[in-house]
Amino acid sequence: MAFMPGFDEQWRDAPDFIHGMTRAIWEDHHFDHLNRYFEPETILRQASGVSRGQANVARHVRAIAVEQPDLVARVEDVIWVPVGFKGFLASQRLYCTATHAGGAYAPATHKQLTYRVLRDQWCRGNAVAETWEVTDQGAILRQLGLNPEDWTRDLIRREGGPAQCVKPLTPANDPISPYEDSGNDNQWGHMLAGLLTRIMRGELGVIPGQYDPAAELAYPGHVTGTGHSAASKFWMPLCAAFPNAQFSVAHVIGLEDPLNPPRASVRWSLIGKHDGWGSFGAPSGAMVHVMGITHAEFGPNGLRREWTLIDETAVWKQIILARGAV
């Protein structure tokens, strides 16, 4: 008997479905399974843009397969919550390794790539209905010897200029979603959402009281660090770049499983003007939308592991388009 109505009996639970689907499509290149595991009108929201339908998902997957033919996408964790009678929302953390064979990023360099992807997927009836995805583009570009701001400016040119280029995800182009849930009512999800909200209000002093002194941290650009100072080093410049922006939490899951520490996932957004010195250089006045996803694990001394991703290139694209200097 299937773990949930509408899903194949081969799957034990939601994480098993996510692991199996990811391996089949991203590693084993069973592109014929795309019609099986994605709804016909599936919505793919990436920080870099929005697309709809199986054909666009297939185009995205094949482009990555060409540029990273030996990609191994390890599912580090799946933090999930049931949704209704026949579905679930799974927040996944992928650790990816590949050899760069040439494509959208740059001509072939044959360099080794290591980066993470964080994505939320709403699944029902054995298929993905909607995806919210953040890829660590900054990590990929730096490992190829490229500067994210310069690469993004060149991307705009290659896509036909400011008028024709693919627009990053913003509230203005975000499709109306039939997914209406906001997660679950779990203390660990509330704890992470509350912590992020306080940090983005500028309460950086909350970090020493809420983070384990030896917390292991992973941030955009494949940057890793340990402890309070490393957390502040990431969050402070991001807050400073958008000091008057509105921070909002879109989805929260807290989860407690046997043999696992308490953990949580939060999908969030930051909307406002780039009017401060910080992560993105001199203030531009550009209206910017930042989509972020954070995973965390908790221990006896507070937050002990954190993974947060934003797509730096999507932010740079909005700033560059607003400046009009391509």
Side-chain angles (χ1 to χ4, degrees), residues 11 17-34 37-38 42-46 48 51 53-75 92-99 105 115-121 123 128 131-135 137 140:
W11 309 120
F17 174 81
I18 294 298
H19 279 263
M21 177 188 66
T22 300
R23 183 172 54 253
I25 293 173
W26 293 97
E27 295 184 15
D28 298 340
H29 296 164
H30 286 309
F31 300 133
D32 54 313
H33 288 193
L34 287 164
Y37 291 132
F38 287 85
T42 188
I43 299 173
L44 173 60
R45 293 177 181 84
Q46 298 169 287
S48 56
S51 58
Q54 291 173 344
N56 284 317
V57 172
R59 188 176 298 111
H60 169 60
V61 172
R62 290 175 187 273
I64 293 174
V66 168
E67 191 153 13
Q68 304 172 41
D70 61 349
L71 172 68
V72 177
R74 300 174 180 87
V75 182
Q92 309 147 47
R93 188 174 70 252
L94 307 181
Y95 185 86
C96 302
T97 57
T99 304
Y105 289 113
Y115 62 96
R116 280 189 171 87
V117 177
L118 290 175
R119 69 163 70 109
D120 285 4
Q121 288 188 310
C123 305
V128 178
T131 301
W132 295 260
E133 181 176 281
V134 183
T135 298
Q137 306 260 46
I140 295 172

Side-chain angles (χ1 to χ4, degrees), residues 204-218:
L204 277 300
V206 74
I207 289 174
Q210 297 293 323
Y211 280 68
D212 189 304
E216 298 175 10
L217 312 168

Side-chain angles (χ1 to χ4, degrees), residues 174-224:
D174 190 356
I176 295 175
S177 172
Y179 182 82
E180 298 179 343
D181 285 44
S182 57
N184 62 4
D185 186 17
N186 178 280
Q187 63 172 323
W188 302 107
H190 290 314
M191 184 176 294
L192 180 59
L195 175 58
L196 295 177
T197 300
R198 292 183 66 185
I199 289 174
M200 293 309 297
R201 282 204 302 250
E203 297 179 41
L204 277 300
V206 74
I207 289 174
Q210 297 293 323
Y211 280 68
D212 189 304
E216 298 175 10
L217 312 168
Y219 293 127
H222 204 54
V223 172
T224 58

Side-chain angles (χ1 to χ4, degrees), residues 147-292:
N147 175 279
E149 180 183 2
D150 295 340
W151 179 86
T152 304
R153 186 174 285 105
D154 182 63
L155 176 67
I156 294 171
R157 298 189 192 104
R158 286 187 281 122
E159 290 178 340
Q164 301 297 322
C165 70
V166 177
K167 302 303 186 293
L169 174 68
T170 67
N173 62 21
D174 190 356
I176 295 175
S177 172
Y179 182 82
E180 298 179 343
D181 285 44
S182 57
N184 62 4
D185 186 17
N186 178 280
Q187 63 172 323
W188 302 107
H190 290 314
M191 184 176 294
L192 180 59
L195 175 58
L196 295 177
T197 300
R198 292 183 66 185
I199 289 174
M200 293 309 297
R201 282 204 302 250
E203 297 179 41
L204 277 300
V206 74
I207 289 174
Q210 297 293 323
Y211 280 68
D212 189 304
E216 298 175 10
L217 312 168
Y219 293 127
H222 204 54
V223 172
T224 58
T226 303
H228 303 157
S229 61
S232 295
K233 188 177 180 180
F234 168 70
W235 288 108
M236 188 179 294
L238 183 62
C239 295
F242 309 100
N244 300 301
Q246 178 183 354
F247 177 79
S248 60
V249 171
H251 201 273
V252 182
I253 306 173
L255 189 62
E256 297 172 76
D257 279 337
L259 302 180
N260 280 301
R263 57 210 204 275
S265 73
V266 173
R267 176 162 35 90
W268 50 269
S269 66
L270 192 62
I271 302 174
K273 285 188 177 182
H274 173 227
D275 53 4
W277 284 89
S279 300
F280 296 92
S284 64
M287 281 297 297
V288 171
H289 170 260
V290 182
M291 178 171 71

